[in-house]
């Protein structure tokens, strides 16, 4: 049965792109469709670098959701993160000639003025109002207060212009409309942190594949956002230096990795020479493996601690720190951070703390999909293609009455100008759905064709370079051979001359 009321969302990650469709019901998320695909070939540190591959992936994901829903998708919410995300404080002031009562309209006007703030090569994705000052007094809600001067403090969440531009280009090429661009860390905080935690002071640390994001809340307001340029893949690359593929290194990290291994087993002689089995059948000392993992994990955690201190709220986080993201599954990461930061209140968020129902078997219960679930929860518009309502045909008036004293006029045929439009309206939604799906399929095939052409061109360049290299090698060999022949003839002449001189003597 087709679904006609749902929210659709896509989250852009450095290791994978996830797509989901569902709706909210009595405080829970109902998951109706889910799909995911690898993204390392077109996304790096949260930013799209290959538009063709991105468009192909988005088109495929939307088609997969539509097949599961048996309904067409008109638009999607897009969750973004990435290294270029950061916060910039902006102050907007307005002075009144006489004392004036602050209204909602005035607040909206200075909020709109804040959105026009120029940040070099940056675009504002979200805004977190901090506080308002009227004359010399601060207010969280200034509406209704009178004064001569109003000053608003806004924390703007910004990103590189090309981040947003490439997202829009990729979705346009995939023929998928964007409902809104959502900052994933902020959506996640609203979804998983309690009101008490955000009021008392809490930091949400999202350990992603290529980046680690820190969001700090106090008094229910975002106070600081920062993104570090390393994550779980950084640790995996370190492990791969032990002569193994990245995929095997990732498996070893997840199975045997421990961010606090050395501290736990320092005085345990049995664990000094403990080994684990490599994917190729060989063995590896756990100590060697976890020395690499522990060193890189410590570097990341020390940077997280430093960002918390830079925020100015490190000593005001009365609700502590919450870990989430795929990288947070590294064993004893919380113990290692507690030793570095001296923060006692730590917890790791699992996705089952978000109440969800429906198709949940594909969602891992380790916080890996907390981001996409949060983006889904932030949506508020129906993303289904809704057929327009059919016009109601007016009933014909009763024409049987005859006026006495007059001859009845011949009955004229009743014109029905609505018949064709009604029929066309009934067919139009199906035609729209078919056209939309056809456009996406054409876009996907076009992207695949461009990728094939690019690979063929790359193959031709490689072959041309190989041929040129072979010709150069053959020329060098010929030159070397000619030089050898020349040297050989020289020595022959020299030897003959030498023998002739000896014979003369």
């Amino acid at each position: 049965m087709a679904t006609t009321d749902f929210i659709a969302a896509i989250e852009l990650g450095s290791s994978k792109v996830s797509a989901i469709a569902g709706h909210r019901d009595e405080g829970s998320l109902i998951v109706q469709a889910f799909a995911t695909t690898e993204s390392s070939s077109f996304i790096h540190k949260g930013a799209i670098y290959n538009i063709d591959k991105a468009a192909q992936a988005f088109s495929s994901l939307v088609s997969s959701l539509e097949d599961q829903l048996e309904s067409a998708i008109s638009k999607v919410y897009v969750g973004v993160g990435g290294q270029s995300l950061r916060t910039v404080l902006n102050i907007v002031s307005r002075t009144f000639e006489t004392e004036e009562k602050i209204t909602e309209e005035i607040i909206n006007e200075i909020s709109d003025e804040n959105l026009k703030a120029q940040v070099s090569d940056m675009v504002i994705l979200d805004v977190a109002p901090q506080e308002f000052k009227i004359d010399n007094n601060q207010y969280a809600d200034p509406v209704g207060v009178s004064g001569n001067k109003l000053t608003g403090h806004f924390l703007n969440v910004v990103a590189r212009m090309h981040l947003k531009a490439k997202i829009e280009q990729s979705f346009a090429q995939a023929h998928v409309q964007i409902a809104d661009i959502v900052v994933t860390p902020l959506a996640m905080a609203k979804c998983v942190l309690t009101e008490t935690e955000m009021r008392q002071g809490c930091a949400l640390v999202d350990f992603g594949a290529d980046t680690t994001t820190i969001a700090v809340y106090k008094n229910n307001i975002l106070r600081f956002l920062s993104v570090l340029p390393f994550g779980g893949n950084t640790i995996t690359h370190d492990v791969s230096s032990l002569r193994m593929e990245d995929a095997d290194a990732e498996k070893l990290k997840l199975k045997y990795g421990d961010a606090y291994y050395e501290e736990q087993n320092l005085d345990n002689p049995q664990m000094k020479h403990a080994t684990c089995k490599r994917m190729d059948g060989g063995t590896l000392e756990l100590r060697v493996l976890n020395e690499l993992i522990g060193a890189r994990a410590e570097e990341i955690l020390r940077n997280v601690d430093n960002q918390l201190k830079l925020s100015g709220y490190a000593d005001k986080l009365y609700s502590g720190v919450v870990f989430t993201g795929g990288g947070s599954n590294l064993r004893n990461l919380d113990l290692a951070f507690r030793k570095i930061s001296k923060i006692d209140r730590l917890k790791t968020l699992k996705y089952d703390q978000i109440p969800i129902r429906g198709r949940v078997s594909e969602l891992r219960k380790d916080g890996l999909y907390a981001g996409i679930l949060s983006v889904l929860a932030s949506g508020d518009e129906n993303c289904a293609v809704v057929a327009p309502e059919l016009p109601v045909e007016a009933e014909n008036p009763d024409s049987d009455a005859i006026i006495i004293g007059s001859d009845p006029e011949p009955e004229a045929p009743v014109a029905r100008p609505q018949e064709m439009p009604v029929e066309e309206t009934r067919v139009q939604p199906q035609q729209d759905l078919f056209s939309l799906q056809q456009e996406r399929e054409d876009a996907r095939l076009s992207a695949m064709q461009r990728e094939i052409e690019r690979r063929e061109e790359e193959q031709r360049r490689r072959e041309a370079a190989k041929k040129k290299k072979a010709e150069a090698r053959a020329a060098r060999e010929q030159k070397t051979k000619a030089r050898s022949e020349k040297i050989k003839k020289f020595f022959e002449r020299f030897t003959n001359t030498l023998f002739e001189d000896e014979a003369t003597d």
Side-chain angles (χ1 to χ4, degrees), residues 251-461:
K251 291 176 183 177
L252 278 181
K253 181 189 76 173
L254 293 176
K255 190 172 183 179
Y256 301 106
D258 192 331
Y260 205 63
Y261 181 85
E262 186 176 349
E263 297 291 335
Q264 282 190 318
N265 301 287
L266 193 63
D267 300 323
N268 190 344
Q270 294 181 350
M271 297 300 293
K272 273 190 175 181
H273 302 290
T275 60
C276 63
K277 191 173 182 180
R278 297 168 58 118
M279 298 300 114
D280 59 5
T283 58
L284 176 67
E285 284 192 24
L286 283 176
R287 177 184 56 81
V288 174
L289 173 67
N290 283 301
E291 277 179 358
L292 283 174
I293 293 175
R296 182 65 75 177
E298 181 181 353
E299 179 189 6
I300 295 173
L301 294 174
R302 286 193 181 280
N303 275 277
V304 171
D305 182 52
N306 185 54
Q307 291 299 312
L308 293 179
K309 291 175 181 175
L310 289 174
S311 74
Y313 288 88
D315 58 344
K316 301 178 182 67
L317 303 177
Y318 304 137
S319 290
V321 177
V322 177
F323 288 169
T324 188
S328 65
N329 294 302
L330 181 62
R331 192 177 293 107
N332 291 324
L333 194 66
D334 54 344
L335 294 179
F337 186 68
R338 183 176 286 114
K339 178 188 175 185
I340 292 169
S341 67
K342 311 304 181 187
I343 296 176
D344 293 327
R345 302 192 69 174
L346 296 172
K347 72 176 182 180
T348 300
L349 172 74
K350 304 300 181 183
Y351 105 90
D352 52 7
Q353 291 176 247
I354 304 174
I356 63 173
R357 290 183 283 143
R359 302 183 58 163
V360 299
S361 59
E362 300 166 83
L363 298 173
R364 287 166 48 183
K365 300 182 179 182
D366 55 5
L368 190 64
Y369 295 115
I372 184 63
L373 290 168
S374 301
V375 177
L376 174 65
S378 69
D380 56 7
E381 294 181 15
N382 185 13
C383 296
V385 174
V386 180
E389 292 184 5
L390 300 179
V392 179
E393 186 176 343
E395 295 183 0
N396 292 326
D398 189 2
S399 60
D400 293 338
I402 299 176
I403 301 175
I404 300 175
S406 64
D407 295 329
E409 295 180 359
E411 184 176 347
V414 179
R416 295 183 179 272
Q418 294 293 329
E419 288 185 357
M420 283 303 295
V422 169
E423 185 62 21
E424 289 177 359
T425 306
R426 288 172 181 165
V427 178
Q428 188 63 31
Q430 296 180 358
Q431 292 176 344
D432 288 344
L433 302 189
F434 177 77
S435 298
L436 187 62
Q437 292 173 342
Q438 188 63 41
E439 285 178 0
R440 289 176 184 160
E441 182 63 18
D442 290 344
R444 188 178 68 84
L445 293 175
S446 178
M448 289 177 64
Q449 182 62 33
R450 285 194 296 271
E451 178 65 14
I452 291 171
E453 291 173 357
R454 185 189 67 79
R455 292 185 180 182
E456 289 176 349
E457 180 61 27
E458 188 177 343
Q459 181 66 23
R460 284 194 293 270
R461 285 199 301 268

Side-chain angles (χ1 to χ4, degrees), residues 31 40 67 76 108 197 208 242 260 282-283 410-411 464 466 486:
V31 178
S40 57
D67 290 342
V76 297
N108 291 336
E197 288 173 333
L242 298 172
Y260 205 63
T283 58
E411 184 176 347
K466 187 177 179 181
K486 189 174 181 180

Side-chain angles (χ1 to χ4, degrees), residues 125-146:
L125 298 181
D126 207 336
V127 179
Q130 300 295 288
E131 61 268 326
F132 296 91
K133 182 184 287 187
I134 299 177
D135 295 334
N136 294 320
N137 300 314
Q138 286 190 352
Y139 300 90
D141 183 8
V143 176
V145 181
S146 298

Side-chain angles (χ1 to χ4, degrees), residues 7-297:
I7 298 167
I10 292 179
E11 186 204 7
L12 309 184
S14 300
S15 63
K16 68 184 184 318
V17 172
S18 302
I20 197 169
H23 64 277
R24 289 189 296 271
D25 181 39
E26 297 180 355
S28 297
L29 289 176
I30 311 299
V31 178
Q32 296 166 276
F34 178 78
T36 185
T37 187
E38 295 294 320
S39 64
S40 57
S41 62
F42 57 89
I43 294 180
H44 181 61
K45 296 189 184 299
I48 295 173
Y49 66 88
N50 189 314
I51 292 175
D52 286 347
K53 288 185 177 180
Q56 184 179 344
F58 299 155
S59 179
S60 178
L61 286 170
V62 170
S63 296
S64 177
L65 294 183
E66 288 177 332
D67 290 342
Q68 296 174 53
L69 294 166
E70 298 181 5
S71 179
I73 294 173
S74 64
K75 55 190 173 183
V76 297
Y77 287 87
V78 181
V80 300
Q83 184 178 343
S84 71
L85 279 184
R86 61 187 178 92
T87 49
V88 177
L89 183 63
N90 186 43
I91 300 175
V92 180
S93 297
R94 178 168 295 188
T95 304
F96 309 104
E97 293 181 358
T98 59
E99 187 174 274
E100 187 167 338
K101 186 175 72 172
I102 306 303
T103 63
E104 192 71 38
E105 184 180 356
I106 294 175
I107 297 299
N108 291 336
E109 286 175 0
I110 68 167
S111 298
D112 292 340
E113 186 177 340
N114 168 68
L115 291 175
K116 298 176 183 177
Q118 298 295 323
V119 185
S120 178
D121 194 33
M122 293 285 181
V123 60
I124 298 175
L125 298 181
D126 207 336
V127 179
Q130 300 295 288
E131 61 268 326
F132 296 91
K133 182 184 287 187
I134 299 177
D135 295 334
N136 294 320
N137 300 314
Q138 286 190 352
Y139 300 90
D141 183 8
V143 176
V145 181
S146 298
N148 295 99
K149 184 178 180 180
L150 171 65
T151 303
H153 295 249
F154 300 91
L155 194 66
N156 295 328
V157 180
V158 300
R160 296 284 182 191
M161 284 186 178
H162 68 76
L163 175 79
K164 184 179 180 182
K166 288 187 176 180
I167 290 172
E168 292 173 341
Q169 291 173 27
S170 300
F171 278 92
Q173 187 169 311
H175 295 279
V176 178
Q177 183 182 346
I178 297 176
D180 193 14
I181 294 179
V182 180
V183 181
T184 302
L186 305 189
M188 195 184 307
K190 292 176 183 176
C191 189
V192 303
L193 297 182
T194 65
E195 185 179 347
T196 301
E197 288 173 333
M198 296 174 75
R199 185 180 66 253
Q200 292 183 346
C202 183
L204 180 67
V205 182
D206 179 17
F207 293 94
D210 285 345
T211 58
T212 299
T213 306
I214 304 104
V216 176
Y217 284 82
K218 182 72 175 179
N219 295 330
N220 293 319
I221 299 173
L222 174 70
R223 302 295 184 177
F224 180 80
L225 178 71
S226 178
V227 181
L228 301 174
F230 30 64
N233 283 347
T234 314
I235 300 176
T236 301
H237 293 329
D238 288 348
V239 176
S240 66
S241 67
L242 298 172
R243 298 180 181 179
M244 65 181 74
E245 297 290 334
D246 280 355
D248 294 339
E250 179 70 13
K251 291 176 183 177
L252 278 181
K253 181 189 76 173
L254 293 176
K255 190 172 183 179
Y256 301 106
D258 192 331
Y260 205 63
Y261 181 85
E262 186 176 349
E263 297 291 335
Q264 282 190 318
N265 301 287
L266 193 63
D267 300 323
N268 190 344
Q270 294 181 350
M271 297 300 293
K272 273 190 175 181
H273 302 290
T275 60
C276 63
K277 191 173 182 180
R278 297 168 58 118
M279 298 300 114
D280 59 5
T283 58
L284 176 67
E285 284 192 24
L286 283 176
R287 177 184 56 81
V288 174
L289 173 67
N290 283 301
E291 277 179 358
L292 283 174
I293 293 175
R296 182 65 75 177

